Amino acid sequence: MPYQDPKKRIKNFDEVSLGYDKDLAIKEAKRCLQCKKPSCVKGCPVGIDIPSFIKEISNDNYKGALEKLKEKNLLPAICGRVCPQEDQCEKLCIVGKKNEPIAIGRLERFVADNQKMTSKLKPGLEGEKVAVVGSGPAGLACASELLQRGYRVTIFEALHKPGGVLMYGIPEFRLPKDVVEQEINQLVDMGVELQTNMVIGQTITLLELLEKGYKAVFIGSGAGLPFFLNIPGENLNGVYSANEFLTRANLMKAYLYPKWETPLRVGKKVVVVGAGNVAMDSARTAMRLGAKEVSIVYRRSEAEMPARKEEIFHAKEEGIEMNLLTNPISIEGDAEGWVNKIRCINMELGDPDESGRRRPKPVKGSEFTIEVDTVIMAIGQGANPVIPRSTKNLNLNDKGNIEVDSETGQTSIEGVFAGGDVVTGAATVIQAMGAGKQCAESIDKYIKNN
Amino acid sequence: MNTIISKDILSPSIKRYVIKNSKIAAKAEAGQFIILRVHEKGERIPLTIADYDREKGTVAIVFQEVGNTTQKLGEMEVGDKILDFVGPLGVPTTLPQGDNIVCIGGGMGIAPIYPEVKSLYNKGVKVTGVLGARTKDILFFSNEMDKICDKLYIVTDDGSQGRKGFVTDVLRDIIKNDNKIDGVIAVGPLPMMKAVCDITKVHNIPTIVSLNSLMVDGTGMCGGCRVTIGDEVKFACIDGPSFDGLKVDFDEQMRRLKMYKEEEEKVLGCKCGGEC
Ligand SMILES: Cc1cc2nc3c(=O)[nH]c(=O)nc-3n(C[C@H](O)[C@H](O)[C@H](O)COP(=O)(O)OP(=O)(O)OC[C@H]3O[C@@H](n4cnc5c(N)ncnc54)[C@H](O)[C@@H]3O)c2cc1C
Ligand SMILES: Cc1cc2nc3c(=O)[nH]c(=O)nc-3n(C[C@H](O)[C@H](O)[C@H](O)COP(=O)(O)OP(=O)(O)OC[C@H]3O[C@@H](n4cnc5c(N)ncnc54)[C@H](O)[C@@H]3O)c2cc1C
Ligand code: SF4
Ligand code: SF4
Ligand code: FES
Ligand SMILES: [Mg+2]
């Protein structure tokens, strides 16, 4: 697939992957063997009929292809871009055994970008009311599935814009915000009511929603609570959580400051701690905001990096350095309280831990210092506590995630369901969507039986 | 929703708006705040809920024009709608126990202290009010406060109204003359709150302060508002903004508030009208 030249793209926020044109798409589609028992489908958390949509592309029938996609996935332009396909559908593609697997995600994106769906559904004015909390992929998927089953759905979103991480976390150069807006607008056109600036647990509580006539509630509030390492110096000026850094850049468009009015300070030397997608996004954003040197600090080795391979590759291409087997031990600052150094220690890999990855251990006496003026902590997020704190009897697990029945997605409160990152901890867009759909099905059953 | 119902100019740079938002009015408690955005490209800024009327479905904000966003807010007129207005955020202040409470409001801190005094007054608690400001032009709410305070002291740095000096001068006298103070609530600039806590710490008087950290979302998602309380890091937007003043790391807060000084000055300095 064509990409923007790394030298050019580190100076702009335009999309890195340019997408297939028609010829490339048809050529790629024709490589698909149209398997009778397609293994690729098993790798897709929402079970898209992959061979069928690909067949429509090779037939030059993009409308048909989009219809096939939308049977299972209402956000194909988004998933085609950000799904970790190499670990999902494409990993199981039979062609991939000997050659490059079919580029399912890229084809999905091609269809969604080139064929606009005209919304079909009208608002279901008679159905029962269901509330959806959070407008990330889990909430959006749940809402659309409920709508198709005839319910009246209201989404309550805390921020001023819907989309969750799609809007505030994943950067423009990887997932353009107008793509996200377009896909969400389609839902609104189909009849979902969207209320922004509504923090459930503050503006109105979850239990009040049930009292107000919503027959069931779905919680898709995500894993928005940023973790810190709890090392000295983390509150120095110039130390950000990745969430803050990315929210300022994406949702608030600080890269267009001062035209857009939210400021963001990026120094010349930036260290990002962590090696997931969030870390890569932070590092690449910092580079585009004018940093001269950006490096990743990660305590394990490249093999364990949780980010998508493609993102690691792009990050390297853009000049981001990888300090692997390195762990921060403290952050130091100048007299005014601005960060200026990060102390690290080298690590080596020991025996496997509970995650099956080899456990990193510090190498005695290997401490060293990196000079920095910005540090971004991208070491993971937990479930946001606003809803649990304000909802009696909502059970959490020991990680603080909402506990649900694995089959139905119902929480400890009758009629209240939950899915996505708030249940699993930080995962993927398509997994969150899968959970949202599954809960919609359970909600349908629950309401019919009550 | 979010329509400005009334606009009072309390001083050339301080304005009070009453805003229609029945959802927030229904829930608001003393100590909570809202976050607003003035226009599509605007930043999100937090302001304390200075009063609320559940029946009329309105909340009041009082703000000082200190920079870009507050200036744009100040240009709005009655009838205009505020684009985004979300709340109530934060946890309500746990008011100090006892029946002899001192409430200190310094500068803009008078706005947030008002609903707290009102709650105490409604519970029948005897409140000693102390209002301080640099000069009399920026001192507001003294009549309103007089009605709900048992005693009210006013101080200005330049002596243009009330006693000349600082709120801490008054606090020291109250401590000396009163036999027992059960608690202090102090809201104002960080150096003022710090100075108050330096005094109350010595006398071991429970003290509540309200922290005005930098915020973005106000929902616990960004961690930009983190504050150190004792040996714990808390998020002011969901754990506060009121905290035990005797445990707050004020120096860290003062430093963190300066994070965007340069950028803020730059945007104010530019006279292009948003075209650059
Ligand atoms: C920087 C970054 C990059 C990522 N990159 C990828 C990627 O490339 N591929 C991939 O598959 N996944 C990626 N992920 C993970 C993926 O984005 C998440 O797994 C997914 O968004 C989870 O969806 P969700 O709907 O559960 O939650 P979220 O997307 O987090 O949405 C939750 C929504 O709920 C709202 N909310 C929270 N509390 C309340 C409340 N009390 N009241 C009302 N609303 C509330 C939030 O404001 C938010 O809008 C990335 C994540 C991040 C942070
Ligand atoms: C919980 C809380 C309650 C507050 N209540 C009031 C109030 O009732 N009345 C009032 O006048 N002010 C209040 N403030 C402060 C108010 O938010 C800032 O004055 C305002 O954000 C300044 O924005 P600006 O663009 O006009 O000025 P800028 O020039 O951008 O900033 C001036 C100073 O304001 C502070 N500030 C800037 N942006 C933010 C932000 N996003 N969040 C917090 N502080 C910021 C910084 O210290 C900055 O140096 C409160 C702050 C908090 C956190
Ligand atoms: S949604 Fe994701 S996993 Fe499913 S087919 Fe598309 S790219 Fe593959
Ligand atoms: S497994 Fe690969 S070749 Fe077979 S249908 Fe799926 S995409 Fe086509
Ligand atoms: S303002 Fe973002 S976590 Fe408090
Ligand atoms: Mg500002």
Side-chain angles (χ1 to χ4, degrees), chain A residues 178-203:
Chain A
D178 55 4
V179 170
V180 180
E181 268 168 24
Q182 260 168 31
E183 295 214 318
I184 293 175
N185 285 343
Q186 285 184 23
L187 268 187
V188 174
D189 289 346
M190 283 160 71
V192 172
E193 189 199 353
L194 180 66
Q195 292 194 20
T196 50
N197 294 323
M198 290 289 284
V199 186
I200 303 307
Q202 297 281 130
T203 314

PDB file of all heavy atoms in Angstrom, chain A residues 178-203:
ATOM      1  N   ASP A 178     -12.166  12.993  10.558  1.00  0.00           N
ATOM      2  CA  ASP A 178     -13.413  13.101   9.782  1.00  0.00           C
ATOM      3  C   ASP A 178     -13.925  11.726   9.368  1.00  0.00           C
ATOM      4  O   ASP A 178     -15.116  11.539   9.162  1.00  0.00           O
ATOM      5  CB  ASP A 178     -13.313  14.105   8.609  1.00  0.00           C
ATOM      6  CG  ASP A 178     -12.166  13.807   7.683  1.00  0.00           C
ATOM      7  OD1 ASP A 178     -11.502  12.777   7.907  1.00  0.00           O
ATOM      8  OD2 ASP A 178     -11.933  14.607   6.745  1.00  0.00           O
ATOM      9  N   VAL A 179     -13.018  10.748   9.276  1.00  0.00           N
ATOM     10  CA  VAL A 179     -13.467   9.375   9.024  1.00  0.00           C
ATOM     11  C   VAL A 179     -14.306   8.884  10.212  1.00  0.00           C
ATOM     12  O   VAL A 179     -15.379   8.299  10.051  1.00  0.00           O
ATOM     13  CB  VAL A 179     -12.248   8.429   8.816  1.00  0.00           C
ATOM     14  CG1 VAL A 179     -12.672   6.970   8.799  1.00  0.00           C
ATOM     15  CG2 VAL A 179     -11.506   8.813   7.544  1.00  0.00           C
ATOM     16  N   VAL A 180     -13.812   9.175  11.418  1.00  0.00           N
ATOM     17  CA  VAL A 180     -14.535   8.756  12.616  1.00  0.00           C
ATOM     18  C   VAL A 180     -15.879   9.476  12.680  1.00  0.00           C
ATOM     19  O   VAL A 180     -16.930   8.862  12.906  1.00  0.00           O
ATOM     20  CB  VAL A 180     -13.711   9.080  13.889  1.00  0.00           C
ATOM     21  CG1 VAL A 180     -14.474   8.652  15.139  1.00  0.00           C
ATOM     22  CG2 VAL A 180     -12.353   8.405  13.835  1.00  0.00           C
ATOM     23  N   GLU A 181     -15.858  10.782  12.435  1.00  0.00           N
ATOM     24  CA  GLU A 181     -17.097  11.560  12.506  1.00  0.00           C
ATOM     25  C   GLU A 181     -18.124  11.048  11.500  1.00  0.00           C
ATOM     26  O   GLU A 181     -19.302  10.909  11.819  1.00  0.00           O
ATOM     27  CB  GLU A 181     -16.812  13.050  12.260  1.00  0.00           C
ATOM     28  CG  GLU A 181     -16.548  13.777  13.559  1.00  0.00           C
ATOM     29  CD  GLU A 181     -15.979  15.178  13.375  1.00  0.00           C
ATOM     30  OE1 GLU A 181     -16.200  15.788  12.300  1.00  0.00           O
ATOM     31  OE2 GLU A 181     -15.317  15.653  14.307  1.00  0.00           O
ATOM     32  N   GLN A 182     -17.655  10.747  10.294  1.00  0.00           N
ATOM     33  CA  GLN A 182     -18.582  10.260   9.274  1.00  0.00           C
ATOM     34  C   GLN A 182     -19.249   8.965   9.701  1.00  0.00           C
ATOM     35  O   GLN A 182     -20.451   8.788   9.535  1.00  0.00           O
ATOM     36  CB  GLN A 182     -17.836  10.023   7.972  1.00  0.00           C
ATOM     37  CG  GLN A 182     -18.021  11.146   6.983  1.00  0.00           C
ATOM     38  CD  GLN A 182     -17.049  11.023   5.835  1.00  0.00           C
ATOM     39  OE1 GLN A 182     -16.665   9.913   5.449  1.00  0.00           O
ATOM     40  NE2 GLN A 182     -16.644  12.144   5.294  1.00  0.00           N
ATOM     41  N   GLU A 183     -18.445   8.052  10.242  1.00  0.00           N
ATOM     42  CA  GLU A 183     -19.037   6.768  10.616  1.00  0.00           C
ATOM     43  C   GLU A 183     -20.018   6.948  11.781  1.00  0.00           C
ATOM     44  O   GLU A 183     -21.054   6.307  11.822  1.00  0.00           O
ATOM     45  CB  GLU A 183     -17.948   5.710  10.899  1.00  0.00           C
ATOM     46  CG  GLU A 183     -17.171   5.408   9.615  1.00  0.00           C
ATOM     47  CD  GLU A 183     -16.666   3.968   9.431  1.00  0.00           C
ATOM     48  OE1 GLU A 183     -16.167   3.387  10.405  1.00  0.00           O
ATOM     49  OE2 GLU A 183     -16.766   3.443   8.296  1.00  0.00           O
ATOM     50  N   ILE A 184     -19.692   7.852  12.714  1.00  0.00           N
ATOM     51  CA  ILE A 184     -20.616   8.076  13.831  1.00  0.00           C
ATOM     52  C   ILE A 184     -21.879   8.802  13.352  1.00  0.00           C
ATOM     53  O   ILE A 184     -22.992   8.473  13.770  1.00  0.00           O
ATOM     54  CB  ILE A 184     -19.927   8.864  14.956  1.00  0.00           C
ATOM     55  CG1 ILE A 184     -18.823   8.005  15.569  1.00  0.00           C
ATOM     56  CG2 ILE A 184     -20.932   9.275  16.033  1.00  0.00           C
ATOM     57  CD1 ILE A 184     -17.983   8.700  16.609  1.00  0.00           C
ATOM     58  N   ASN A 185     -21.712   9.767  12.449  1.00  0.00           N
ATOM     59  CA  ASN A 185     -22.886  10.493  11.933  1.00  0.00           C
ATOM     60  C   ASN A 185     -23.896   9.566  11.282  1.00  0.00           C
ATOM     61  O   ASN A 185     -25.103   9.793  11.354  1.00  0.00           O
ATOM     62  CB  ASN A 185     -22.457  11.570  10.931  1.00  0.00           C
ATOM     63  CG  ASN A 185     -21.847  12.757  11.657  1.00  0.00           C
ATOM     64  OD1 ASN A 185     -22.030  12.904  12.869  1.00  0.00           O
ATOM     65  ND2 ASN A 185     -21.112  13.578  10.933  1.00  0.00           N
ATOM     66  N   GLN A 186     -23.384   8.523  10.649  1.00  0.00           N
ATOM     67  CA  GLN A 186     -24.303   7.567  10.035  1.00  0.00           C
ATOM     68  C   GLN A 186     -25.224   6.956  11.080  1.00  0.00           C
ATOM     69  O   GLN A 186     -26.405   6.750  10.839  1.00  0.00           O
ATOM     70  CB  GLN A 186     -23.522   6.449   9.356  1.00  0.00           C
ATOM     71  CG  GLN A 186     -22.891   6.898   8.069  1.00  0.00           C
ATOM     72  CD  GLN A 186     -22.217   5.746   7.368  1.00  0.00           C
ATOM     73  OE1 GLN A 186     -22.552   4.593   7.582  1.00  0.00           O
ATOM     74  NE2 GLN A 186     -21.260   6.057   6.520  1.00  0.00           N
ATOM     75  N   LEU A 187     -24.654   6.678  12.243  1.00  0.00           N
ATOM     76  CA  LEU A 187     -25.451   6.109  13.332  1.00  0.00           C
ATOM     77  C   LEU A 187     -26.526   7.076  13.783  1.00  0.00           C
ATOM     78  O   LEU A 187     -27.664   6.685  14.035  1.00  0.00           O
ATOM     79  CB  LEU A 187     -24.554   5.823  14.530  1.00  0.00           C
ATOM     80  CG  LEU A 187     -23.939   4.462  14.645  1.00  0.00           C
ATOM     81  CD1 LEU A 187     -23.232   4.331  15.974  1.00  0.00           C
ATOM     82  CD2 LEU A 187     -25.034   3.426  14.542  1.00  0.00           C
ATOM     83  N   VAL A 188     -26.123   8.339  13.902  1.00  0.00           N
ATOM     84  CA  VAL A 188     -27.075   9.351  14.343  1.00  0.00           C
ATOM     85  C   VAL A 188     -28.180   9.483  13.286  1.00  0.00           C
ATOM     86  O   VAL A 188     -29.362   9.562  13.615  1.00  0.00           O
ATOM     87  CB  VAL A 188     -26.356  10.690  14.589  1.00  0.00           C
ATOM     88  CG1 VAL A 188     -27.348  11.800  14.909  1.00  0.00           C
ATOM     89  CG2 VAL A 188     -25.357  10.536  15.741  1.00  0.00           C
ATOM     90  N   ASP A 189     -27.788   9.449  12.002  1.00  0.00           N
ATOM     91  CA  ASP A 189     -28.793   9.504  10.934  1.00  0.00           C
ATOM     92  C   ASP A 189     -29.763   8.331  11.021  1.00  0.00           C
ATOM     93  O   ASP A 189     -30.927   8.440  10.667  1.00  0.00           O
ATOM     94  CB  ASP A 189     -28.121   9.459   9.551  1.00  0.00           C
ATOM     95  CG  ASP A 189     -27.400  10.751   9.259  1.00  0.00           C
ATOM     96  OD1 ASP A 189     -27.656  11.740   9.985  1.00  0.00           O
ATOM     97  OD2 ASP A 189     -26.580  10.768   8.315  1.00  0.00           O
ATOM     98  N   MET A 190     -29.243   7.213  11.464  1.00  0.00           N
ATOM     99  CA  MET A 190     -30.092   6.026  11.570  1.00  0.00           C
ATOM    100  C   MET A 190     -31.041   6.109  12.762  1.00  0.00           C
ATOM    101  O   MET A 190     -31.928   5.281  12.905  1.00  0.00           O
ATOM    102  CB  MET A 190     -29.226   4.774  11.689  1.00  0.00           C
ATOM    103  CG  MET A 190     -28.620   4.329  10.362  1.00  0.00           C
ATOM    104  SD  MET A 190     -27.194   3.252  10.618  1.00  0.00           S
ATOM    105  CE  MET A 190     -27.985   1.775  11.218  1.00  0.00           C
ATOM    106  N   GLY A 191     -30.818   7.063  13.655  1.00  0.00           N
ATOM    107  CA  GLY A 191     -31.788   7.247  14.726  1.00  0.00           C
ATOM    108  C   GLY A 191     -31.273   7.117  16.140  1.00  0.00           C
ATOM    109  O   GLY A 191     -32.046   7.158  17.086  1.00  0.00           O
ATOM    110  N   VAL A 192     -29.950   6.968  16.326  1.00  0.00           N
ATOM    111  CA  VAL A 192     -29.417   6.944  17.687  1.00  0.00           C
ATOM    112  C   VAL A 192     -29.426   8.366  18.236  1.00  0.00           C
ATOM    113  O   VAL A 192     -29.012   9.301  17.553  1.00  0.00           O
ATOM    114  CB  VAL A 192     -27.966   6.417  17.711  1.00  0.00           C
ATOM    115  CG1 VAL A 192     -27.348   6.578  19.090  1.00  0.00           C
ATOM    116  CG2 VAL A 192     -27.928   4.964  17.298  1.00  0.00           C
ATOM    117  N   GLU A 193     -29.913   8.531  19.469  1.00  0.00           N
ATOM    118  CA  GLU A 193     -29.842   9.853  20.087  1.00  0.00           C
ATOM    119  C   GLU A 193     -28.513   9.956  20.821  1.00  0.00           C
ATOM    120  O   GLU A 193     -28.115   9.043  21.542  1.00  0.00           O
ATOM    121  CB  GLU A 193     -30.995  10.051  21.077  1.00  0.00           C
ATOM    122  CG  GLU A 193     -31.073  11.478  21.569  1.00  0.00           C
ATOM    123  CD  GLU A 193     -31.864  11.637  22.867  1.00  0.00           C
ATOM    124  OE1 GLU A 193     -32.470  10.653  23.335  1.00  0.00           O
ATOM    125  OE2 GLU A 193     -31.847  12.745  23.419  1.00  0.00           O
ATOM    126  N   LEU A 194     -27.819  11.062  20.619  1.00  0.00           N
ATOM    127  CA  LEU A 194     -26.501  11.226  21.218  1.00  0.00           C
ATOM    128  C   LEU A 194     -26.511  12.430  22.141  1.00  0.00           C
ATOM    129  O   LEU A 194     -26.825  13.533  21.714  1.00  0.00           O
ATOM    130  CB  LEU A 194     -25.483  11.432  20.091  1.00  0.00           C
ATOM    131  CG  LEU A 194     -24.040  11.627  20.499  1.00  0.00           C
ATOM    132  CD1 LEU A 194     -23.484  10.366  21.144  1.00  0.00           C
ATOM    133  CD2 LEU A 194     -23.202  11.986  19.282  1.00  0.00           C
ATOM    134  N   GLN A 195     -26.198  12.214  23.418  1.00  0.00           N
ATOM    135  CA  GLN A 195     -26.105  13.343  24.348  1.00  0.00           C
ATOM    136  C   GLN A 195     -24.660  13.450  24.825  1.00  0.00           C
ATOM    137  O   GLN A 195     -24.193  12.614  25.575  1.00  0.00           O
ATOM    138  CB  GLN A 195     -27.031  13.131  25.552  1.00  0.00           C
ATOM    139  CG  GLN A 195     -28.502  13.186  25.196  1.00  0.00           C
ATOM    140  CD  GLN A 195     -29.387  13.315  26.430  1.00  0.00           C
ATOM    141  OE1 GLN A 195     -28.948  13.729  27.505  1.00  0.00           O
ATOM    142  NE2 GLN A 195     -30.643  12.933  26.286  1.00  0.00           N
ATOM    143  N   THR A 196     -23.980  14.504  24.373  1.00  0.00           N
ATOM    144  CA  THR A 196     -22.608  14.717  24.825  1.00  0.00           C
ATOM    145  C   THR A 196     -22.632  15.528  26.118  1.00  0.00           C
ATOM    146  O   THR A 196     -23.686  15.964  26.558  1.00  0.00           O
ATOM    147  CB  THR A 196     -21.804  15.474  23.750  1.00  0.00           C
ATOM    148  OG1 THR A 196     -22.560  16.618  23.370  1.00  0.00           O
ATOM    149  CG2 THR A 196     -21.557  14.613  22.537  1.00  0.00           C
ATOM    150  N   ASN A 197     -21.455  15.746  26.703  1.00  0.00           N
ATOM    151  CA  ASN A 197     -21.338  16.511  27.950  1.00  0.00           C
ATOM    152  C   ASN A 197     -22.192  15.923  29.077  1.00  0.00           C
ATOM    153  O   ASN A 197     -22.737  16.650  29.898  1.00  0.00           O
ATOM    154  CB  ASN A 197     -21.729  17.985  27.740  1.00  0.00           C
ATOM    155  CG  ASN A 197     -20.758  18.694  26.814  1.00  0.00           C
ATOM    156  OD1 ASN A 197     -19.553  18.438  26.861  1.00  0.00           O
ATOM    157  ND2 ASN A 197     -21.264  19.562  25.970  1.00  0.00           N
ATOM    158  N   MET A 198     -22.335  14.609  29.085  1.00  0.00           N
ATOM    159  CA  MET A 198     -23.104  13.954  30.133  1.00  0.00           C
ATOM    160  C   MET A 198     -22.197  12.946  30.831  1.00  0.00           C
ATOM    161  O   MET A 198     -21.872  11.903  30.262  1.00  0.00           O
ATOM    162  CB  MET A 198     -24.299  13.204  29.526  1.00  0.00           C
ATOM    163  CG  MET A 198     -25.389  14.104  28.984  1.00  0.00           C
ATOM    164  SD  MET A 198     -26.300  14.950  30.281  1.00  0.00           S
ATOM    165  CE  MET A 198     -27.325  13.627  30.865  1.00  0.00           C
ATOM    166  N   VAL A 199     -21.777  13.278  32.040  1.00  0.00           N
ATOM    167  CA  VAL A 199     -20.909  12.356  32.771  1.00  0.00           C
ATOM    168  C   VAL A 199     -21.800  11.504  33.681  1.00  0.00           C
ATOM    169  O   VAL A 199     -22.354  12.015  34.656  1.00  0.00           O
ATOM    170  CB  VAL A 199     -19.870  13.108  33.619  1.00  0.00           C
ATOM    171  CG1 VAL A 199     -18.892  12.120  34.245  1.00  0.00           C
ATOM    172  CG2 VAL A 199     -19.135  14.138  32.788  1.00  0.00           C
ATOM    173  N   ILE A 200     -21.954  10.253  33.321  1.00  0.00           N
ATOM    174  CA  ILE A 200     -22.812   9.385  34.129  1.00  0.00           C
ATOM    175  C   ILE A 200     -22.091   9.115  35.456  1.00  0.00           C
ATOM    176  O   ILE A 200     -20.921   8.737  35.485  1.00  0.00           O
ATOM    177  CB  ILE A 200     -23.146   8.077  33.377  1.00  0.00           C
ATOM    178  CG1 ILE A 200     -23.817   8.410  32.043  1.00  0.00           C
ATOM    179  CG2 ILE A 200     -24.034   7.178  34.245  1.00  0.00           C
ATOM    180  CD1 ILE A 200     -25.020   9.338  32.117  1.00  0.00           C
ATOM    181  N   GLY A 201     -22.822   9.320  36.535  1.00  0.00           N
ATOM    182  CA  GLY A 201     -22.197   9.254  37.866  1.00  0.00           C
ATOM    183  C   GLY A 201     -22.022  10.650  38.441  1.00  0.00           C
ATOM    184  O   GLY A 201     -21.845  10.813  39.642  1.00  0.00           O
ATOM    185  N   GLN A 202     -22.084  11.659  37.579  1.00  0.00           N
ATOM    186  CA  GLN A 202     -21.958  13.046  38.024  1.00  0.00           C
ATOM    187  C   GLN A 202     -23.221  13.828  37.621  1.00  0.00           C
ATOM    188  O   GLN A 202     -23.952  14.308  38.458  1.00  0.00           O
ATOM    189  CB  GLN A 202     -20.717  13.709  37.416  1.00  0.00           C
ATOM    190  CG  GLN A 202     -19.397  13.078  37.826  1.00  0.00           C
ATOM    191  CD  GLN A 202     -18.940  13.509  39.210  1.00  0.00           C
ATOM    192  OE1 GLN A 202     -18.588  12.692  40.050  1.00  0.00           O
ATOM    193  NE2 GLN A 202     -18.948  14.784  39.464  1.00  0.00           N
ATOM    194  N   THR A 203     -23.438  13.939  36.295  1.00  0.00           N
ATOM    195  CA  THR A 203     -24.606  14.685  35.820  1.00  0.00           C
ATOM    196  C   THR A 203     -25.884  13.932  36.183  1.00  0.00           C
ATOM    197  O   THR A 203     -26.895  14.530  36.552  1.00  0.00           O
ATOM    198  CB  THR A 203     -24.535  14.865  34.291  1.00  0.00           C
ATOM    199  OG1 THR A 203     -23.211  15.284  33.941  1.00  0.00           O
ATOM    200  CG2 THR A 203     -25.529  15.902  33.807  1.00  0.00           C
TER     201      THR A 203
END
